[in-house]
Amino acid sequence: MDKLQLSEFNNLTKSLNLNIYKVCYARNAHGQYINYIDESFNALRLTRILEEITKIVGATILNIAQQNYAPQGASVTMMVADGMSPTNSGLLLQEPSLLPETLVAHLDKSHITVHTYPENHPAEGIQCFRIDLDVSTCGKIPPLRALNFIIENFRPDVALMDYRIRGFTRTVQGTKLFSDHEISSITDSIPLSTLEQYQCSDVTIPQENTFLTKIILKDIDLTDHIFAPSSEKLEAGEEQQIIHNVREEMREIFFGKSGPIKQI
């Protein structure tokens, strides 16, 4: 196997991890729901999304592994490399578009992975589909640059996110840097037009370079959360019960607690 050329580079490891949940009702239309999952979250489409993420963060794809599962679900893993400038010691001194020709560095913590997990409540017909997505880079470009693209493509009902910066890098004078960009919250990387759709909860530990955010959709549109045969007509009371059950499932995931939960 050919070795990749390394040069002086930014040693910080930046990891963005998301647990994305999509909740719906599909008691009498499970096959319709499975078809939706197979179409929307198969390995090929997930690979296309991850390829776009690598472009956004300025990485190069070195290897792709993908797998579909039965009855539904998929996994995709990409090993990626950051573009490194041999003249800048890897620090954020210039915009990527202004950098000179770069050497490609490959570190085994530079990767993007996505795994999906289907789950259901057999008694109430609630289907909960989880997507775990990790973007981890060693270099100058933070994974947060791709966050809004991820949310727009997966449109979560609930998302649990954490962003961590590990290690340190040095300036050419030898000063240690434990972060190379300003951040006060993960939500800084999400446009206001998107945030307005969600209730958010933040926990930040800046001295540890650790940031956690949870979001839950404010308003449920039943047409986006129900799979039902075309011949099935729901009464108003049934619709409200389904909305209630979907909302309760979302709340339990958001709070990490089963059973009755206060209104949010």
Side-chain angles (χ1 to χ4, degrees):
M1 181 182 293
D2 293 337
K3 294 183 178 180
L4 294 173
Q5 180 65 46
L6 295 176
S7 182
E8 293 181 349
F9 58 93
N10 187 322
N11 288 313
L12 293 170
T13 298
K14 303 162 189 171
S15 298
L16 173 64
N17 306 290
L18 298 96
N19 304 125
I20 295 168
Y21 294 87
K22 297 182 72 67
V23 181
C24 69
Y25 172 85
R27 175 181 286 176
N28 299 321
H30 190 68
Q32 185 180 344
Y33 173 74
I34 295 296
N35 290 337
Y36 159 74
I37 294 299
D38 285 344
E39 179 179 341
S40 301
F41 303 107
N42 60 63
L44 180 59
R45 180 169 183 264
L46 293 174
T47 298
R48 296 292 177 262
I49 291 175
L50 265 58
E51 287 174 338
E52 188 62 30
I53 291 173
T54 63
K55 293 179 184 177
I56 293 172
V57 301
T60 301
I61 298 172
L62 300 177
N63 179 268
I64 301 175
Q66 56 180 236
Q67 180 64 54
N68 286 307
Y69 302 104
Q72 70 250 31
S75 295
V76 179
T77 300
M78 286 186 179
M79 190 70 72
V80 301
D82 291 321
M84 303 298 175
S85 167
T87 61
N88 287 340
S89 298
L91 300 181
L92 279 174
L93 303 183
Q94 302 182 53
E95 287 297 315
S97 61
L98 301 178
L99 291 176
E101 184 174 356
T102 61
L103 299 175
V104 174
H106 166 252
L107 305 174
D108 79 8
K109 289 196 175 185
S110 292
H111 64 264
I112 305 174
T113 65
V114 61
H115 305 284
T116 65
Y117 302 88
E119 190 271 343
N120 70 85
H121 189 308
E124 295 184 357
I126 295 294
Q127 310 287 328
C128 182
F129 193 75
R130 185 176 109 226
I131 303 152
D132 287 357
L133 196 153
D134 300 330
V135 184
S136 185
T137 65
C138 290
K140 60 190 175 297
I141 301 174
L144 286 171
R145 182 173 292 182
L147 181 56
N148 189 55
F149 172 82
I150 293 169
I151 293 175
E152 286 183 344
N153 274 267
F154 289 109
R155 301 177 61 192
D157 295 317
V158 180
L160 314 179
M161 301 172 274
D162 66 77
Y163 178 64
R164 301 171 190 268
I165 306 172
R166 297 180 174 90
F168 66 87
T169 193
R170 291 183 187 272
T171 67
V172 292
Q173 292 79 24
T175 303
K176 294 186 185 72
L177 295 179
F178 293 89
S179 179
D180 59 4
H181 65 286
E182 295 293 331
I183 176 174
S184 58
S185 167
I186 291 174
T187 56
D188 294 344
S189 299
I190 306 175
L192 182 59
S193 58
T194 299
L195 284 178
E196 288 174 341
Q197 302 173 45
Y198 292 92
Q199 176 78 32
C200 303
S201 174
D202 268 337
V203 176
T204 64
I205 314 173
Q207 66 272 23
E208 302 293 339
N209 281 322
T210 298
F211 307 86
L212 302 97
T213 296
K214 300 190 293 185
I215 61 175
I216 180 171
L217 196 64
K218 291 179 180 177
D219 300 316
I220 294 178
D221 183 344
L222 194 57
T223 59
D224 293 333
H225 292 81
I226 188 170
F227 292 84
S230 57
S231 59
E232 183 176 346
K233 183 174 177 60
L234 298 174
E235 302 294 334
E238 291 179 292
E239 289 187 0
Q240 291 304 311
Q241 185 61 47
I242 291 171
I243 291 175
H244 171 78
N245 292 344
V246 169
R247 172 59 72 179
E248 285 302 305
E249 183 81 0
M250 291 165 55
R251 287 188 185 122
E252 290 183 1
I253 295 168
F254 184 81
F255 287 104
K257 177 182 178 182
S258 296
I261 296 173
K262 65 181 180 179
Q263 297 291 319
I264 61 170

